[in-house]
Amino acid sequence: MAKKRPQTKGKQPQLTDGQVPVVGAREPCPCGSGRRYKACHGRAAAHAVTELVHRPFEGLPGEGDWVALRELVPAATVELPLKGGLPDGVPSVSLATVLPMAWPALRRDDGSVLLGLQNDTASGDISRDLADTLQRALTAEPGSPVQARRAPADGPRLQDVLDADGAFEPIVHAGFEFWVPDSENASTEVSASLERANAAAIPTVKLSGVDSAYWCETPEKNHLRWVMPHPEEQLLDALARLHAAGTSSLGEGTRLVGSFRAHGLTVPVWDLPSGMGAEDIEKPAAEFAERLAAALAVDAPLTPEERRARGGLTNRQVTLS
């Protein structure tokens, strides 16, 4: 039996990472290494898709409000300015907390676009996923929703497609009637989705005197949830100083009960009496902001009492994302 001749492979030019095209996971890597794509450059591509971006909204105007609308606010919209302006045939682009049937985006009959924020995303970078959905919505047929997909790992992020100089001014709604211009003539499917969403919505109001603070009403008590931009360790130290000094509340019957951690930012939460409305908390919140600014400026080590207060706050912290 004749011996098999050893097969030789011709040398292939080595490509840089930016030149390697995407192929099937089990196919030879186009870089010429001789390994399968999934064990070579595909590994880095997969990692880029799944790697969690700690602060996906960092660098956008209103980062705290992006976090609040993603995690805390039931019904709200914000007009989004695009770099270079709106394309022809698109009169407006708006962010919405939720859309009917959890659509990622919707291009309305008039060509305007609604981008849903509170949807599951396919990768670890919410900003990239949303930017991909937005770009597809801009070219979708009017009157059609945009379906979810995994965004390309090298695709643009919101920071690349939104105008960084534009304002981010959320409008909080009592319900989801903003979904359709004429809710009375909506389809049966949309009407049913609208009814379910309205029934589950918690009454929420954005405070006007401080940034990214939202009052909400629940059957047992009311709350203030305040998304803050300060570094977490510095903020917890400052809150601990105020808590130890007895100045962390927002007035009689209120109490700082802990905080959320969401998308790289910290969200302190206060319990409020059920009779305290959003307008009642405006002045106490503004006064607290002044006390917090002073506490943030202190760089002395925490006292034993302040360390105990900090430990209590840390133990009551819940991570949302």
Side-chain angles (χ1 to χ4, degrees), residues 7-195:
Q7 295 181 352
T8 58
K9 295 181 179 179
K11 291 185 178 180
Q12 299 183 31
Q14 296 291 314
L15 304 178
T16 65
D17 289 353
Q19 296 174 320
V20 177
V22 176
V23 297
R26 300 177 66 83
E27 294 181 41
C29 187
C31 76
S33 67
R35 292 181 291 172
R36 290 179 177 176
Y37 179 69
K38 69 176 183 179
C40 192
H41 281 84
R43 180 180 299 171
H47 180 70
V49 169
T50 59
E51 184 179 11
L52 179 65
V53 175
H54 187 55
R55 287 180 62 178
F57 307 118
E58 185 176 13
L60 292 173
E63 181 186 7
D65 289 311
W66 277 94
V67 172
L69 268 56
R70 167 76 182 183
E71 300 293 343
L72 306 173
V73 181
T77 55
V78 189
E79 188 169 346
L80 296 179
L82 305 184
K83 285 184 178 179
L86 296 170
D88 291 341
V90 181
S92 66
V93 174
S94 297
L95 183 73
T97 48
V98 180
L99 292 179
M101 280 73 74
W103 288 329
L106 170 66
R107 182 135 189 233
R108 287 171 158 167
D109 291 332
D110 66 354
S112 61
V113 168
L114 287 177
L115 176 67
L117 180 59
Q118 293 182 11
N119 295 312
D120 292 335
T121 53
S123 79
D125 188 352
I126 298 171
S127 178
R128 195 179 309 283
D129 288 333
L130 288 172
D132 177 70
T133 301
L134 173 57
Q135 289 192 313
R136 290 186 291 125
L138 293 173
T139 58
E141 288 295 324
S144 62
V146 175
Q147 302 303 321
R149 76 169 189 182
R150 172 167 286 183
D154 59 350
R157 307 177 73 238
L158 288 172
Q159 290 82 347
D160 301 317
V161 300
L162 299 183
D163 184 356
D165 296 326
F168 191 83
E169 300 175 348
I171 300 174
V172 179
H173 303 276
F176 295 88
E177 282 74 18
F178 65 85
W179 282 352
V180 286
D182 185 4
S183 59
E184 293 183 357
N185 294 322
S187 68
T188 302
E189 188 179 26
V190 171
S191 296
S193 184
L194 177 61
E195 185 176 350

Side-chain angles (χ1 to χ4, degrees), residues 238-260:
L239 292 173
R241 296 182 196 280
L242 296 176
H243 200 64
T247 57
S248 64
S249 75
L250 299 173
E252 185 177 355
T254 71
R255 184 168 67 99
L256 175 63
V257 293
S259 63
F260 298 124

Side-chain angles (χ1 to χ4, degrees), residues 273-314:
S274 57
M276 180 174 281
E279 66 282 355
D280 301 319
I281 206 67
E282 288 278 7
K283 183 178 179 182
E287 293 171 345
F288 178 85
E290 295 179 0
R291 298 196 299 273
L292 179 63
L296 287 166
V298 177
D299 57 4
L302 297 178
T303 66
E305 185 178 359
E306 290 168 346
R307 286 199 299 271
R308 286 193 294 271
R310 193 185 194 282
L313 291 172
T314 302

Side-chain angles (χ1 to χ4, degrees), residues 226-238:
W226 193 341
V227 187
M228 296 188 172
H230 317 290
E232 181 179 358
E233 297 302 315
Q234 182 187 8
L235 176 58
L236 289 174
D237 281 353

